[in-house]
Amino acid sequence: MRTWSVPRAQAEAEQAVLDFSALLRELAAQRRAQPQDDLITALVQAEEGGDRLTEQELIDTCILLLNAGHEASVNGLSAGVLALLRQPEHWQALVDAAPREDSLPLFRLAIEELLRYDTPLPMFERIALEETQLFGVSLQPGDRVTLLYASGNRDPRRFERPDELLLSRDPNPHLTFGLGIHYCLGAPLARLELALSLRALCRAMPDLRLQEAGAAAQYTGGFVIRGLARLDVQSG
């Protein structure tokens, strides 16, 4: 088992950022010379009022999109699959629909419900910028406020039968990607990744099931990001 010291982990993380930034600079230069149908080309060519992204702005945007779209995809898919396998009738409904070429909208709808049902980002913190009153509590500038998105996603005032997994739920105003000016920039990417990945999994392993029925899920530690550390399944 590998152990980490804080200084070493920080140094390795900083070096990874430098290496990734160098790779993005190289890719950006390639796309300027030979444009392709991809996101980096679109960012390189993006222009508004004659203004273009600087190289550093382009790199920062790519890193943000990767992080924003990646965490929700990895944790959302694994937790979603667990929820589906615990209720096999829902898994089977998606398996039956998966072969159809027009099934992507159905999977997009299902993903919204899976993200609401077991959100990969159950909590987030914000900082008060000015004095305000919230539900009888006085907040001062600099106070930290903890937002429980997972609780909001089960609010019976907003969702009918909130504790049930209803794959056809529509509308579905869940808070998994945040709200307002803090809405997740990577949400469209995460949604598409999740829908395509779940459909591909249903097509490739239609008889997927939990290795042990009723087995308790093992989640990673942490309060902000919630994901499975392990999910034992079998197929065939």
Side-chain angles (χ1 to χ4, degrees), residues 67-90:
N67 289 334
H70 177 72
E71 287 291 348
S73 299
V74 171
N75 296 325
L77 182 61
S78 57
V81 169
L82 173 62
L84 291 169
L85 296 183
R86 281 177 167 172
Q87 303 179 57
E89 69 277 10
H90 290 308

Side-chain angles (χ1 to χ4, degrees), residues 5-114:
S5 67
V6 172
R8 179 180 176 184
Q10 181 176 348
E12 292 191 2
E14 291 174 351
Q15 185 60 50
V17 171
L18 292 174
D19 293 343
F20 187 49
S21 297
L23 173 62
L24 289 173
R25 286 191 177 89
E26 181 180 341
L27 287 173
Q30 292 176 1
R31 296 302 187 266
R32 288 190 184 96
Q34 297 178 317
Q36 297 185 23
D37 183 19
D38 60 20
L39 178 61
I40 294 180
T41 299
L43 291 173
V44 166
Q45 296 177 344
E47 180 178 343
E48 182 176 352
D51 189 23
R52 291 181 178 271
L53 293 174
T54 66
E55 184 178 71
Q56 190 58 50
E57 287 172 338
L58 184 146
I59 291 170
D60 292 344
T61 300
C62 287
I63 292 175
L64 177 61
L65 285 171
L66 176 66
N67 289 334
H70 177 72
E71 287 291 348
S73 299
V74 171
N75 296 325
L77 182 61
S78 57
V81 169
L82 173 62
L84 291 169
L85 296 183
R86 281 177 167 172
Q87 303 179 57
E89 69 277 10
H90 290 308
W91 172 259
Q92 190 59 50
L94 292 178
V95 166
D96 292 343
R100 302 200 313 261
E101 290 302 319
D102 64 348
S103 62
L104 189 57
L106 183 148
F107 277 84
R108 282 182 172 273
L109 194 63
I111 285 299
E112 296 301 316
E113 176 66 353
L114 292 170

Side-chain angles (χ1 to χ4, degrees), residues 191-209:
R191 282 185 162 111
L192 182 59
E193 287 176 341
L194 285 165
L196 291 172
S197 298
L198 182 58
R199 185 171 69 170
L201 183 62
C202 287
R203 288 176 172 178
M205 298 181 177
D207 55 352
L208 191 68
R209 59 192 181 277

